[in-house]
Amino acid sequence: MRKVYLDNAATTYVSSEVLAEMLPCFNTVYGNANSLHGFGREAANIVDRARDRVARAINANKSNEIYFTSGGSEADNWAIKGIAHAYANKGKHIITSAIEHHAVLDACKQLESEGFEVTYLPVDKYGLVNIADLIHAIKKTTTLISIMAVNNEVGTIQNIKAIAKTAHEYGVIFHTDGVQAIGALRIDVQDMEIDAMSMSAHKIYGPKGVGALYLKNGIRIENLISGGSQERNKRGGTTNVPAVAGFGKAIEIAVRDLSMNQQKLKAIRTYFVDKVTERIPYIQINGHPHQKIQGTVNISFEMIEGESILMLLDLEGVAVSTGSACTSQVLEPSHVLKAMKISDELAQGSIRFSFGKNITKSDVDYVVDVLEKAVNQLRSISPLTKAGRK
Ligand SMILES: Cc1ncc(COP(=O)(O)O)c(C=O)c1O
């Protein structure tokens, strides 16, 4: 059976260049990067090189502003809780948005249970945060604003630079979840005035279970993981050298190939959306019409459930997702689509197609064929169709 993977926003395969970078770290350069002997120093050199690569990819001023973590979720949790706690004597108010990843939302919920106050900014129908709403929400006690750069479900790109500028005008620290932005957008943390940013390797053809927090020098943060002196005493735990090496390589390639990949994805996206719109009626494309990344397309199919489409596509070897992977076990409409004021019915009929760099037009042709068949089949038995609504 033909297989087409359209769930790259959930995770990607590890590219061969990345794998080649990682392999020697398993059994050749296997020292503990914190050990003082030669084996350790060799491993430490690999970690240093990876740190330099990550710093260069996002134009950090110094490599020591990069702290490796176990992924985007840890980086989000650390940034939110660590910065909130470090500045708690200044104030206990945090601002975020209603469409953040659960790693941010749940970290904020935890802070609320500790007595912090959190404002969840609304978004417009395209998923954009409004700067006037942000300004209105800022208080004397606000210490941190966290707004994601790119939404993982619909691909909308926020006005990060303007948001960061606003935060700084009011003396507030700005964190962004950059997990879906790396490789899709040029990120320059200095130009964009980002104080802290979460990153993850497995969305950019790197390994799972590794990521980083960029933290501008001078910003205080409380430790999330206590232990050894790793990551300059800020994050305990023996460094996962193969994973870190893979992440460094993956982010270097993601930035090197960004224009080429985005051009290709733009052409594929247009081809896909044109075909789907031509062949399948009663659909709605969610997200911003222009301010969006090219790789993610979120479509609501009226009168049917996204999960049923997903299962029929899976039977034909096509992998897609409903909402975000982390919540796909839950049959609640996505919190992102809800915040964008998309009806529950449409939200429940939504599918995220996220393209990878190796996708071909022939893959798209195959997907559109099986998608059309699945949608027709489901609509023919849908009680909503039978009720004569369409
Ligand atoms: C926007 C966003 N933030 C954070 C994460 C979590 O990253 P990780 O899987 O590395 O923990 C994801 C991944 O699903 C994401 O899409």
Side-chain angles (χ1 to χ4, degrees):
M1 183 176 50
R2 186 164 183 167
K3 281 180 144 192
V4 184
Y5 184 76
L6 294 187
D7 204 11
N8 291 275
T11 199
T12 58
Y13 65 89
V14 173
S15 76
S16 46
E17 278 180 277
V18 168
L19 190 59
E21 191 81 15
M22 293 174 71
L23 283 177
C25 307
F26 285 103
N27 55 6
T28 310
V29 187
Y30 56 84
N32 183 323
N34 262 44
S35 298
L36 298 176
H37 46 63
F39 288 80
R41 283 196 305 276
E42 249 187 318
N45 286 340
I46 288 181
V47 174
D48 286 347
R49 186 164 65 189
R51 207 183 300 283
D52 289 344
R53 284 174 162 164
V54 177
R56 213 172 306 129
I58 60 170
N59 196 32
N61 186 30
K62 294 250 162 64
S63 293
N64 70 7
E65 294 172 316
I66 306 298
Y67 298 88
F68 289 114
T69 65
S70 65
S73 298
E74 185 189 323
D76 279 341
N77 270 269
W78 188 17
I80 302 289
K81 295 178 204 168
I83 296 173
H85 285 151
Y87 289 86
N89 57 355
K90 186 177 165 227
K92 287 189 152 191
H93 178 235
I94 289 155
I95 300 173
T96 186
S97 84
I99 62 162
E100 298 296 312
H101 189 271
H102 280 289
V104 167
L105 292 177
D106 292 358
C108 287
K109 288 270 173 298
Q110 192 179 324
L111 287 175
E112 281 181 298
S113 74
E114 293 171 20
F116 284 80
E117 186 194 349
V118 182
T119 301
Y120 300 89
L121 293 176
V123 292
D124 67 12
K125 63 178 178 176
Y126 300 128
L128 277 183
V129 165
N130 181 300
I131 303 278
D133 289 343
L134 173 66
I135 294 172
H136 188 68
I138 297 173
K139 305 177 184 195
K140 278 206 169 64
T141 50
T142 311
T143 55
L144 176 66
I145 293 171
S146 177
I147 305 288
M148 71 199 319
V150 171
N151 180 266
N152 47 307
E153 293 189 33
V154 295
T156 298
I157 304 170
Q158 298 295 336
N159 299 310
I160 287 303
K161 193 170 171 175
I163 293 172
K165 261 191 186 321
T166 307
H168 293 153
E169 275 162 25
Y170 289 85
V172 178
I173 295 166
F174 177 66
H175 164 259
T176 189
D177 176 335
V179 169
Q180 297 284 343
I182 304 291
L185 292 185
R186 292 243 172 254
I187 299 284
D188 179 328
V189 288
Q190 294 186 75
D191 176 61
M192 295 164 111
E193 297 190 28
I194 295 168
D195 298 314
M197 180 169 74
S198 308
M199 295 170 264
S200 180
H202 72 104
K203 316 282 187 183
I204 53 169
Y205 306 93
K208 293 162 186 57
V210 65
L213 179 66
Y214 158 76
L215 188 72
K216 189 177 163 182
N217 281 337
I219 307 281
R220 282 182 282 130
I221 195 162
E222 194 175 86
N223 287 7
L224 185 70
I225 300 180
S226 310
S229 60
Q230 291 88 357
E231 301 302 295
R232 294 175 309 292
N233 289 315
K234 281 199 163 63
R235 197 264 186 190
T238 302
T239 307
N240 185 346
V241 180
V244 161
F247 179 29
K249 189 69 183 169
I251 199 166
E252 183 179 80
I253 297 169
V255 171
R256 179 193 76 193
D257 296 349
L258 193 145
S259 305
M260 186 182 74
N261 288 339
Q262 292 307 307
Q263 250 172 10
K264 182 177 171 190
L265 286 177
K266 189 172 181 184
I268 282 287
R269 177 200 184 95
T270 309
Y271 185 69
F272 173 72
V273 168
D274 285 353
K275 285 214 156 220
V276 171
T277 325
E278 196 184 288
R279 290 179 38 191
I280 307 177
Y282 306 119
I283 61 166
Q284 174 180 308
I285 297 171
N286 304 311
H288 199 283
H290 318 294
Q291 212 169 308
K292 59 176 190 254
I293 59 163
Q294 298 304 332
T296 299
V297 184
N298 187 303
I299 305 180
S300 289
F301 296 87
E302 291 183 29
M303 298 167 280
I304 46 182
E305 296 255 312
E307 277 71 23
S308 312
I309 305 175
L310 182 150
M311 282 182 239
L312 288 187
L313 293 187
D314 187 38
L315 289 176
E316 304 284 353
V318 176
V320 295
S321 118
T322 55
S324 66
C326 320
T327 52
S328 56
Q329 308 293 324
V330 185
L331 281 180
E332 280 262 302
S334 127
H335 70 286
V336 174
L337 299 181
K338 249 181 156 61
M340 290 163 63
K341 308 263 176 354
I342 289 168
S343 71
D344 281 3
E345 188 199 318
L346 273 181
Q348 261 152 348
S350 90
I351 292 283
R352 178 183 70 182
F353 303 87
S354 49
F355 303 105
K357 59 184 179 181
N358 287 340
I359 182 97
T360 62
K361 275 193 170 173
S362 145
D363 289 334
V364 172
D365 289 338
Y366 176 70
V367 170
V368 175
D369 283 347
V370 298
L371 180 64
E372 184 184 29
K373 202 172 93 192
V375 169
N376 286 342
Q377 187 183 334
L378 291 168
R379 280 182 179 162
S380 73
I381 54 166
S382 161
L384 294 176
T385 324
K386 286 213 174 108
R389 290 176 52 189
K390 291 279 159 63

